[in-house]
Amino acid sequence: MNRATFGWVAIGLLLSCSSGDPTPVNKSGTGIVGRWRLFEIQGSTGASSFTTPISAKPLQALTFTSGGQLRKEGNQLGDYYDHPFYRIDSSKTVYQVRFLTSQTDTLGVQVGLTISKDTLRLTPFCAEGCRQSFVRIN
């Protein structure tokens, strides 16, 4: 491929990106702060993938405060029980939330993050791929 063709392809790819791509700030401008109900877990066994719907009762929820605190409700959110704080990390193309054991913790557990409208998706590192989906409840 010559340089001119490559340049036009690169420009086309850049222009095809939409402003509607999921980011930590949704269209209402409220971002991650708020209460989120877990409604689905997706994963893979290696041979096949699965989606498990989560009932609204008993409530399984995460609350992200504006001060960086994380509150958990329910017994299906065990991954977050040892992490009462969070921080958003980002680059030009990737948003991640880092769950922290204390406000001075600099490492924590980092997972992928997307927010689209009122849906939050957390994507922890999994060999076969996995995701937890939440809906904003207030």
Side-chain angles (χ1 to χ4, degrees):
M1 180 182 303
N2 66 36
R3 288 183 185 177
T5 303
F6 177 76
W8 285 112
V9 169
I11 290 170
L13 288 172
L14 288 172
L15 293 175
S16 68
C17 295
S18 73
S19 61
D21 291 338
T23 66
V25 178
N26 61 13
K27 295 193 185 310
S28 64
T30 54
I32 197 169
V33 172
R35 194 169 176 213
W36 300 86
R37 179 181 64 82
L38 179 66
F39 71 88
E40 151 182 296
I41 296 173
Q42 293 176 312
S44 174
T45 62
S48 64
S49 60
F50 63 88
T51 300
T52 304
I54 305 298
S55 174
K57 293 188 180 185
L59 181 64
Q60 308 294 319
L62 293 176
T63 300
F64 295 87
T65 72
S66 60
Q69 292 183 324
L70 177 68
R71 297 186 185 111
K72 290 92 35 191
E73 299 172 68
N75 60 3
Q76 293 190 23
L77 297 167
D79 294 344
Y80 306 101
Y81 279 117
D82 295 332
H83 301 90
F85 301 96
Y86 76 95
R87 181 182 76 225
I88 302 295
D89 293 334
S90 67
S91 67
K92 290 183 179 181
T93 58
V94 176
Y95 293 96
Q96 297 177 326
V97 62
R98 190 177 296 264
F99 295 103
L100 308 167
T101 56
S102 71
Q103 289 181 316
T104 58
D105 185 357
T106 57
L107 298 176
V109 176
Q110 196 167 352
V111 301
L113 163 70
T114 58
I115 298 175
S116 181
K117 298 183 182 175
D118 284 332
T119 301
L120 165 71
R121 288 196 166 74
L122 298 178
T123 311
F125 174 75
C126 300
E128 277 85 24
C130 55
R131 178 172 76 189
Q132 295 171 320
S133 299
F134 299 79
V135 63
R136 184 183 301 276
I137 54 177
N138 64 357

